[in-house]
Amino acid sequence: MNRKYRKTIIAGNWKMNMKPSDVKPFADELKNIVSRAKWCETVICAPFVDLPAAVKAFKDCRVSVGAENLNENPKGAYTGEIAADMLVDLGVKYVIIGHSERRQYYGETDISVNKKVHAALEAGLQPIVCVGESLEQRELGITIELITLQVKTALANVSADKVRKVVIAYEPIWAIGTGKTATAEQAGEVCCAIRAVIRNLYGARIARAITIQYGGSMNEKNAAELLAQPDIDGGLIGGASLVPEKFAAIINAANQE
Ligand code: PGA
């Protein structure tokens, strides 16, 4: 973390877990155990149907709400889809874009990620853009090249002014939901490389100000060590964000003075 230059953001990704009726009990429990998160911003990204309840329940514990996806078009004949300004209208602030599960199961590509990033920024949402390599790609030694391409494509034609709103989440696919975390050094190295890509595209001042998260089996035990890396400015947390005590412990790890 480097709080002098950028925000630390701890974001939960509930994926396809938690019903609308689960939201308030979770928020009530979190409220009771989390110390005032003075130094970090907390976000819960929830399924679409949970969002109205989440905006309401998290309002008084200073937790922002995010969606897990959006459609790249502003409106129109796209049955079953959700547009950026519908989310904004609800009071949603963030949106996860290009999570590896969406790339793997729903055919999202770097190009569609770029379109969604533009749609989100246009509407005033803050995108949390996920990038990450598979185990095979890591073993081939192409991690940095691959992530460079993912970041460059995701940010194509995004202005310097708007890119400040983008959060990048480095999530090695082999670490997601597997209990296998990247070492702090491995994660720190890739996050540092991501910042270098942004520096090349937008210059040092903007690169310094961008929040880069790590995700992939981050939990209450390994959070402090990962967050101690200078280029890891937070986490995107799946499994551990479903349990208030575990999520609170990660927020507290990010909230040390
Ligand atoms: P995990 O998920 O923490 O359960 O590994 C992270 C993510 O997919 O964002």
Side-chain angles (χ1 to χ4, degrees):
M1 298 183 283
N2 186 335
R3 294 204 195 94
K4 186 165 165 217
Y5 295 119
R6 48 194 177 257
K7 242 196 266 181
T8 303
I9 304 176
I10 298 296
N13 174 11
W14 279 357
K15 307 192 180 184
M16 201 171 74
N17 300 294
M18 308 288 258
K19 295 185 287 297
S21 60
D22 296 326
V23 174
K24 192 169 180 308
F26 179 99
D28 288 344
E29 212 176 323
L30 188 69
K31 233 181 290 183
N32 285 336
I33 49 180
V34 88
S35 59
R36 226 180 122 239
K38 204 167 137 199
W39 302 105
C40 78
E41 173 150 357
T42 307
V43 183
I44 288 282
C45 298
F48 288 132
V49 292
D50 293 357
L51 293 173
V55 169
K56 193 165 168 228
F58 290 118
K59 201 184 263 161
D60 48 341
C61 55
R62 305 242 246 102
V63 173
S64 301
V65 173
E68 298 175 12
N69 183 29
L70 84 173
N71 187 276
E72 67 210 46
N73 297 289
K75 64 186 329 192
Y78 302 99
T79 302
E81 291 293 290
I82 302 288
D85 69 351
M86 297 173 182
L87 298 171
V88 172
D89 195 64
L90 268 186
V92 170
K93 245 182 105 179
Y94 289 87
V95 60
I96 298 174
I97 296 179
H99 189 280
S100 64
E101 286 149 18
R102 296 220 51 92
R103 295 179 190 249
Q104 190 181 346
Y105 306 134
Y106 302 100
E108 295 201 9
T109 62
D110 291 340
I111 299 291
S112 64
V113 167
N114 175 247
K115 290 182 180 156
K116 290 183 178 201
V117 168
H118 281 281
L121 290 170
E122 206 51 53
L125 287 171
Q126 287 198 241
I128 300 176
V129 180
C130 301
V131 297
E133 82 288 2
S134 66
L135 189 58
E136 291 85 345
Q137 289 162 334
R138 175 161 282 270
E139 284 170 355
L140 284 173
I142 57 169
T143 299
I144 302 293
E145 285 94 331
L146 182 98
I147 300 242
T148 301
L149 189 70
Q150 289 179 335
V151 172
K152 276 190 168 171
T153 315
L155 298 180
N157 298 316
V158 172
S159 68
D161 194 35
K162 289 219 165 104
V163 81
R164 291 171 181 277
K165 296 273 172 220
V166 175
V167 174
I168 307 277
Y170 166 56
E171 299 207 303
I173 297 167
W174 48 272
I176 295 176
T178 57
K180 217 176 178 187
T181 322
T183 64
E185 291 70 30
Q186 281 173 328
E189 183 198 0
V190 179
C191 291
C192 174
I194 292 171
R195 200 175 306 285
V197 174
I198 297 170
R199 190 178 308 118
N200 284 336
L201 293 171
Y202 297 99
R205 275 182 68 180
I206 288 178
R208 214 163 56 187
I210 299 274
T211 297
I212 302 177
Q213 299 172 316
Y214 167 79
S217 301
M218 195 189 238
N219 58 38
E220 68 286 7
K221 296 191 189 81
N222 58 32
E225 195 190 348
L226 287 158
L227 294 168
Q229 290 285 319
D231 284 299
I232 300 183
D233 310 309
L236 184 56
I237 296 118
S241 75
L242 299 171
V243 184
E245 303 83 59
K246 293 188 180 179
F247 193 54
I250 298 172
I251 297 167
N252 289 339
N255 203 29
Q256 309 298 325
E257 262 187 73

